[in-house]
Each structure stands twice: as C-alpha cells, then as structure tokens.
Amino acid sequence: MAERYDVVMIGAGIGGASLAANLGTGVSVAILEAEAFPGYHTSGRSAAFYSESYGGPVVQPLTTASLPYFISAEKETGEAWLGTERGALYVGQAHQREALHQMRALYPALEMEVIGPEQVAERAPMLRPEWRAGGLWEPRVRDINTATMHQAFLRTAKRNGGVLKTGWRVTSLRREQDGWTISSGSEEIHARVIVNAAGAWADELAQLAGIAPIGLVPMRRTLVVLRVPQAEYRADAPLVLDVDGSFYFKPDAGTYWVSPHDETPSVPCDVQPEELDVAIALDRLEQATTLTISRPERSWAGLRTFAPDRAPIYGFEPTAPGFFWCAGQGGFGMQTAPAAGVLCASLIHGEPLPGALLEAGVDAEAYSPARFRATAGK
Ligand SMILES: Cc1cc2nc3c(=O)[nH]c(=O)nc-3n(C[C@H](O)[C@H](O)[C@H](O)COP(=O)(O)OP(=O)(O)OC[C@H]3O[C@@H](n4cnc5c(N)ncnc54)[C@H](O)[C@@H]3O)c2cc1C
C-alpha cells in the first residue's frame, strides 16, 4: 500500500524546504529528493547575499518581505541566518554614470544613494580609478548563512511531522481522482497535492505529469574563489557589482568570491565551471581592481533557472488540479526564501496572505503560473 501524504514536495532545495517548513502541523508532508543530500544542486552553490535590488522590481517585494522573517527566525533558533550589513556598491566607468541613476530610479522605495568617486574609493579602495566614476550604494545588503537557513527549514518541517526521503528520484507522476501517484521505480507514494520544487528540472517534472512546460531556462553561473595577499584583503568590503552586470565580487574569510556574471543556457545537470568562465572572471577582476590575481583556490558553477519573464512561479497549475509550482527562483531564491515559503503555504492552504507580505507589496498574481497559460486562470 502506497504511503499517503497531503502535500509532497519534489525537490529538497531551498524552494521545497522553505515551503515544507511553513505548511504547519495540520497537514502530512513529505519531501522527496533525488540526490543523497538536500542542497547538492543550486541551493548549495549560491553566492549567498541578500540584496533588495537584486533580481528586479518584481522580485524586490519578496526580498523585502523576507527580512523580518530572517530576523525573527534568528531569534527563535538562536542561529545567525544573516551576516552583518556589508552593503552593496554598484560601480561604473564614466560612460555608465547614467546607468547608476537609472538603476536607482527602478527602486524608489529602497534605501539607496548615488555617490561620487571619493565615496566609491573610500568603500572599495581596490577599484582602479576608471571604475570609480560613480557608484550606487545600497546599505542593507548582507550575507546569508544559506546552509544554516536551509537546515533550519528542513528541521522545522521534520519537527512538524514531515518526512524527508533522499535518494528518491521521481520517475513518473500519475493523476488520480483524489490527487497524484508519485513513483520512483517500483516505489509509490500518494499525495493530494504535489509541489514542483525541482529547480532546473521543474519543466521536465511538469512534463512527467503531462503538463506543458513553462519555458524555464537553467543558466550556468560561475563563482571563483581567489586568495589575495593579506594587505589587500578587506573583510568589511561591500559586495561590488558592475552596474551593467559583467562581474561582482565580495570578501569571504581572506578570499574574494568573484563571478563573471555569466548566464549560459544549459540542460538540467550537475553543472561544472568552464575554464573560460573562470579566466573571464579573473580578467574582469584584474581590469577593474588592483588586487593581485593568482591561481584561484577553487571555483564552482550552479544553475540559476529563470522563467521567460524572470519572475518566480508560485501557485497552482491552472490546467491540472493539485499540481503546485515553486520554481524559477533564478538568482534570488535564497534572499526570497522566507517570504516565498510563507506565500506558497498560504496559497496551498487557500488562506489570505499575511499582512507582512501585503505591506511589503507582495502580489501573488505576479508570480502565478496562470500568466503563462493563455486561456486558463483568466
Ligand atoms: C552561482 C550562484 C549564485 C547565486 N547567488 C545567489 C545569491 O547571492 N542570493 C540568492 O538569493 N540566490 C542566489 N542564487 C540562486 C539560488 O541559489 C537559487 O535560486 C535557489 O538555490 C534555487 O533553489 P531550488 O530549491 O529551486 O533549486 P535546487 O537547490 O536545485 O533544488 C531542486 C532540487 O530538486 C531535486 N530534483 C530535481 N528533479 C527531481 C526528481 N525528479 N525527483 C526528486 N528530486 C528532484 C534536485 O536534486 C534538487 O536538489 C545563486 C545561484 C547560483 C548558481
């Protein structure tokens, strides 16, 4: 006899974990993960920063709404989910000054300030003079202790009675009258609601269920860890980003994490860094800073999966009852996870969104899969 659950998450990355943690005790929950441990794929490979301006204006309310949840979770668990505010500094050369103002204009409600060359130099003295033409300062940016947050969500789900099954790759999905039969080889589980939290595999999973794909594109993003001479290291340096998105870097334990801001479409896979992207990262860092460039300590890549409009997809599939999307978190799935978990749990329970989300401007419609279904959900 197949095990039966009210809600089954497929994927134990941050998407599945944050939603499972927020479903509460009134429902039976299972989380199915293909790999031997949760966080093997994208959720274990992020750059781990929280920035309200990162991801675009449609994503920003979810990021803003997450901050109070981060802070209250820290109080409840006694764990540090966030680092101290290091701030982010968008920089540009002389021809990019206008871009700094345009970016500022995108986020009228955020605490941000366009600053001049001297203030840029003060905050990021490693930048070469030509990269200090101007800056956009976003003070509330911090690091996220992503593994701590991820583990805490899984712990909460288990404490509420949830079950985590690793090494459980879903290979078929069959719609029944009262929900779904989920199979992995000969094993079967029954769920009233299934949650597609399969990250880069989310469109493939939809197709297993006989549902049209949304057009999600997994994109490779590379991170390179560079150890610099001690005199060049600044633990308090901000996250520094090219305003036109050709690189970013931030300090971490005596190293700088550098990304060439690559977005190379990929099939869903255990993606690895390409030598060329590592070389581009170091070259861009050398062009922009006076840091000593040496052989990188390590590098990795992960897949950031985007919907065609680059907003996440949270909500019930209009064409298939009991199929819920929690996908397309692109490059912002960590910073938005606390609020996204609350939003998705409210939608599954059919409850109104909590005031804290509404006050931050979260509009569930903006993330609904119905936006991709021309005739459904209208
Ligand atoms: C280099 C890089 C830097 C980033 N930096 C940041 C950042 O600074 N801040 C931020 O907020 N975000 C950042 N992100 C984005 C963030 O990491 C992602 O948005 C987030 O991890 C996506 O989580 P997920 O749960 O959707 O995907 P995943 O973590 O990939 O989880 C999906 C899971 O589903 C499982 N799965 C797939 N198919 C099946 C199946 N058939 N059966 C069972 N299980 C299955 C997979 O094994 C996987 O574990 C970054 C990403 C990358 C790659």
Side-chain angles (χ1 to χ4, degrees):
M1 181 75 171
E3 289 173 34
R4 299 181 79 83
Y5 296 92
D6 292 319
V7 186
V8 168
M9 252 61 56
I10 302 171
I14 199 68
S18 57
L19 170 46
N22 279 287
L23 284 170
T25 50
V27 286
S28 57
V29 168
I31 314 172
L32 307 178
E33 170 54 51
E35 302 292 349
F37 65 90
Y40 178 78
H41 288 290
T42 310
S43 298
R45 306 182 190 202
S46 87
F49 56 76
Y50 171 96
S51 158
E52 287 167 282
S53 69
Y54 202 78
V58 181
V59 172
Q60 176 261 311
L62 277 174
T63 312
T64 299
S66 290
L67 190 57
Y69 288 103
F70 273 112
I71 291 166
S72 64
E74 287 188 330
K75 282 197 189 123
E76 274 164 35
T77 61
E79 297 168 337
W81 285 30
L82 291 170
T84 50
E85 282 183 357
R86 66 167 65 261
L89 182 60
Y90 289 89
V91 295
Q93 303 186 61
H95 67 277
Q96 293 172 288
R97 279 201 195 100
E98 188 48 35
L100 294 166
H101 288 277
Q102 282 168 358
M103 176 150 186
R104 206 279 163 264
L106 278 180
Y107 302 98
L110 292 191
E111 201 181 322
M112 287 177 113
E113 187 193 354
V114 176
I115 58 175
E118 299 79 34
Q119 289 160 295
V120 173
E122 242 167 62
R123 294 190 161 103
M126 71 290 282
L127 285 169
R128 291 188 188 277
E130 59 270 31
W131 275 94
R132 299 180 198 157
L136 178 60
W137 176 242
E138 184 187 350
R140 297 201 332 162
V141 173
R142 314 150 181 240
D143 294 329
I144 307 170
N145 294 323
T146 53
T148 303
M149 167 171 74
H150 195 177
Q151 286 307 316
F153 281 140
L154 291 170
R155 225 173 34 233
T156 302
K158 283 189 205 166
R159 207 176 43 232
N160 290 346
V163 174
L164 169 66
K165 292 175 186 279
T166 52
W168 217 100
R169 182 178 302 278
V170 174
T171 51
S172 96
L173 291 167
R174 200 172 65 243
R175 172 101 194 108
E176 313 282 0
Q177 257 187 342
D178 58 346
W180 294 84
T181 296
I182 310 163
S183 312
S184 182
S186 59
E187 277 187 80
E188 285 193 345
I189 285 179
H190 185 274
R192 203 166 47 77
V193 170
I194 52 176
V195 174
N196 181 356
W201 289 265
D203 257 352
E204 287 188 1
L205 196 87
Q207 285 171 292
L208 274 187
I211 293 168
I214 274 178
L216 289 163
V217 182
M219 308 246 213
R220 189 177 68 238
R221 165 71 46 104
T222 308
L223 275 171
V224 180
V225 177
L226 181 76
R227 191 162 292 277
V228 293
Q230 216 180 349
E232 293 179 16
Y233 182 68
R234 286 186 59 132
D236 63 346
L239 167 70
V240 178
L241 309 97
D242 169 17
V243 67
D244 285 332
S246 74
F247 66 82
Y248 65 71
F249 61 90
K250 70 167 197 176
D252 185 83
T255 67
Y256 284 97
W257 288 15
V258 191
S259 174
H261 226 257
D262 46 334
E263 284 199 343
T264 311
S266 166
V267 293
C269 65
D270 183 359
V271 74
Q272 298 300 316
E274 298 283 324
E275 268 180 42
L276 181 63
D277 293 325
V278 172
I280 292 172
L282 296 183
D283 181 56
R284 290 185 180 161
L285 191 71
E286 189 163 32
Q287 303 287 330
T289 72
T290 53
L291 294 171
T292 302
I293 309 294
S294 57
R295 199 182 152 78
E297 206 162 86
R298 65 194 174 100
S299 57
W300 69 88
L303 293 176
R304 300 153 81 245
T305 298
F306 289 95
D309 60 4
R310 294 178 76 97
I313 307 167
Y314 300 131
F316 279 105
E317 165 62 43
T319 66
F323 185 98
F324 190 92
W325 288 87
C326 176
Q329 292 93 334
F332 44 81
M334 292 294 163
Q335 62 187 29
T336 52
V342 173
L343 166 68
C344 291
S346 303
L347 294 173
I348 287 179
H349 288 314
E351 289 168 357
L353 298 195
L357 262 61
L358 297 173
E359 279 156 32
V362 173
D363 170 15
E365 286 296 309
Y367 311 124
S368 164
R371 70 194 195 271
F372 298 108
R373 307 301 190 201
T375 52
K378 297 227 160 148

